[in-house]
Amino acid sequence: MIEEKKLFIQTLGCQMNTLDSEHMLSELEKYKNYTQTDKLEDADLILVNTCSVREKPVQKLFSELGQFNAKKKKGAKIGVCGCTASHLGNDIIKRAPYVDFVLGARNISKIKDVVDIKGSVEIDINYNDSTYEFAPNEKSIYKTQANISIGCDKKCSYCIVPSTRGEEISIPQELLISQIRKDVENGAIELMLLGQNVNAYGKRFSDKREKTSFTKLLQEISKIEGLERIRFTSPHPLHMDDEFIEEFAQNPKICKYIHMPLQSGSNEILKAMKRGYTKEWFLSRVEKLKKLVPELRISTDIIVAFPKESEADFLDTLAVVEEVKFDQIFNFIYSPRPNTKALELKEFEIPREIAVARLTRLIELHKLHQSELMQKNIGKEFEVLAENLSKNGEVFGYSDNNLQVFFKASEEALGKIQRVKISGASRTSLQAQKV
Ligand code: SAH
Ligand code: SF4
Ligand code: F3S
């Protein structure tokens, strides 16, 4: 019997990192007898699952590692995983010699091998773990997640992800279906499909097989009995063809919430970003979606102050925001990243004060839309999956279109989909009563 050990994981970055952390935890539980702790001081192993997408978190990493090293129990190990591990590799151990191992975002299936090898660095971005079956995740009961592809084949000029996660490989459909079936048998009713570019699914696999499409995958997955809700993120606006939009609209299992990363509303900037679509294409997709799905909610990502972004370019972005009225916007100030094409535009970078002022204007405009959109929900009815009992005895969950809803109910409601009527709204959540 191996002695029981404690694991502390800190996860930064996107949902793919969150899922990677869950996978590492399952592997370490299954093969190395670890259990998770939220107390750093108790841990025998400290894992930091990092994000590189913007510069700030990378700067913070080293000061944080220093603190972890000072607080850790004697003999505890520290591992750095994820996207920053991929692009800094051995430099992490050079700068912070107390780090025991470095494991890139594309290599997390090797966690049980590296954990006991001091100084190991596994960061091969061509490594293929796309068919790797991890220990089953039994953590969440009602919701499950699956990576449908690893890596990204796009070359958005600001983005470091293709160089941290490598080229795009889709996970074979039969593996996905069998994993999802198992999760549904264990009680999951909602599924989240993950990938950097989910609707490019099916173009390349690690073995020779016929090409397929995301739309076909959605059709196959929705045949799984007992699975009631399907969500996915992130789709790319370029690949939102009519076939995809029609499937999205008419398939009752697909939740009516979509993330449409705009990045910019200026055609010049979109071109410089190498996004592959125009503002007109983006708006045509929104128009078609809204027409077919009246209760649709849309979120987006926007980067302000990309090099060369003029006031007029920024106003184009605000005009698209005004036209679409996004339900949620994830805003970022452009951050120059290593291994990206946009570094060539260094001399055209926008001064920080202008960038901050643009970000503030965008946030203010969005807040107006958010309040307006949330108020419109009062009196409407939605189906909510009750997930948690909150402190004041209310149940909390998400509607099909991803509204956060609180309503009075007891513990028996948990894990079930309940029809509710909205009685009150704040800018970010709703109050409701069962109907
Ligand atoms: N694959 C996803 C995005 C992953 S990164 C997609 O294409 O939608 C998440 C978001 O971070 C991006 O959509 C973008 O808005 C932002 N981002 C990426 N690189 C950035 C950079 N260098 N500076 C600022 N924001 C960036
Ligand atoms: Fe980055 Fe673009 Fe790929 Fe998204 S689609 S991960 S923004 S390169
Ligand atoms: Fe960050 Fe890597 Fe995700 S850079 S956003 S953790 S793909």
Side-chain angles (χ1 to χ4, degrees), residues 73-109:
K73 167 166 116 176
K74 198 161 176 274
K77 294 177 197 170
I78 299 183
V80 177
C81 318
C83 288
T84 308
S86 302
H87 88 96
L88 293 182
N90 199 34
D91 285 353
I92 295 177
I93 299 187
K94 279 198 196 137
R95 271 180 76 176
Y98 47 82
V99 167
D100 291 270
F101 61 88
V102 172
L103 189 63
R106 185 84 175 216
N107 306 82
I108 56 132
S109 62

Side-chain angles (χ1 to χ4, degrees), residues 80-342:
V80 177
C81 318
C83 288
T84 308
S86 302
H87 88 96
L88 293 182
N90 199 34
D91 285 353
I92 295 177
I93 299 187
K94 279 198 196 137
R95 271 180 76 176
Y98 47 82
V99 167
D100 291 270
F101 61 88
V102 172
L103 189 63
R106 185 84 175 216
N107 306 82
I108 56 132
S109 62
K110 299 180 194 161
I111 183 69
K112 63 180 186 304
D113 307 320
V114 299
V115 67
D116 294 322
I117 307 175
K118 170 97 187 144
S120 50
V121 176
E122 293 282 352
I123 53 165
D124 177 5
I125 65 157
N126 295 315
Y127 184 70
N128 173 25
D129 59 5
S130 67
T131 54
Y132 190 83
E133 275 188 285
F134 295 98
N137 163 32
E138 284 145 9
K139 288 282 161 316
S140 86
I141 324 168
Y142 322 125
K143 292 197 197 178
T144 186
Q145 310 189 61
N147 277 328
I148 64 166
S149 55
I150 59 173
C152 181
D153 274 358
K154 293 269 180 280
K155 294 194 168 49
C156 303
S157 61
Y158 51 81
C159 184
I160 196 172
V161 172
S163 75
T164 64
R165 295 212 176 234
E167 74 174 10
E168 190 172 289
I169 298 184
S170 298
I171 309 220
Q173 184 173 298
E174 70 277 4
L175 265 182
L176 290 170
I177 303 265
S178 81
Q179 184 205 318
I180 298 162
R181 276 223 173 87
K182 271 188 232 155
D183 292 344
V184 170
E185 277 163 24
N186 287 333
I189 57 175
E190 183 173 308
L191 166 72
M192 172 64 102
L193 300 172
L194 294 174
Q196 287 305 341
N197 195 352
V198 281
N199 50 349
Y201 178 84
K203 304 283 173 297
R204 188 193 300 122
F205 293 91
S206 58
D207 54 4
K208 262 210 148 113
R209 57 173 70 215
E210 217 174 292
K211 286 188 187 176
T212 174
S213 72
F214 184 56
T215 305
K216 290 203 185 93
L217 178 71
L218 286 173
Q219 287 164 346
E220 286 309 308
I221 290 177
S222 26
K223 289 180 191 157
I224 298 177
E225 255 176 69
L227 180 66
E228 298 191 30
R229 287 178 159 190
I230 303 172
R231 301 185 187 275
F232 52 83
T233 203
S234 287
H236 195 297
L238 177 66
H239 304 298
M240 293 188 182
D241 54 22
D242 288 352
E243 194 196 13
F244 163 77
I245 292 181
E246 279 150 25
E247 181 64 26
F248 178 88
Q250 62 79 30
N251 184 329
K253 289 194 178 180
I254 299 180
C255 291
K256 302 307 182 238
Y257 174 83
I258 195 161
H259 187 60
M260 296 182 69
L262 170 67
Q263 313 300 0
S264 169
S266 149
N267 282 338
E268 281 299 305
I269 298 295
L270 283 170
K271 204 167 163 194
M273 287 176 162
K274 300 208 180 307
R275 287 292 287 175
Y277 54 83
T278 58
K279 142 180 114 177
E280 289 76 18
W281 168 259
F282 185 93
L283 287 172
S284 79
R285 303 298 84 195
V286 172
E287 193 190 6
K288 186 165 172 88
L289 276 160
K290 282 190 171 174
K291 200 165 135 210
L292 296 180
V293 187
E295 285 309 322
L296 179 70
R297 294 178 74 245
I298 309 178
S299 60
T300 196
D301 290 348
I302 292 176
I303 299 178
V304 301
F306 184 80
K308 285 192 179 170
E309 184 188 75
S310 63
E311 175 65 14
D313 291 320
F314 178 64
L315 289 175
D316 282 350
T317 299
L318 291 187
V320 174
V321 169
E322 187 62 59
E323 187 165 343
V324 178
K325 293 198 167 56
F326 294 103
D327 294 275
Q328 201 171 6
I329 304 185
F330 301 93
N331 308 289
F332 311 101
I333 291 179
Y334 168 73
S335 168
R337 306 303 298 123
N339 311 323
T340 61
K341 190 91 180 128

Side-chain angles (χ1 to χ4, degrees), residues 17-28:
N17 257 16
T18 308
L19 185 55
D20 287 348
S21 286
E22 281 182 27
H23 283 151
M24 289 191 285
L25 174 64
S26 309
E27 289 281 285
L28 292 170

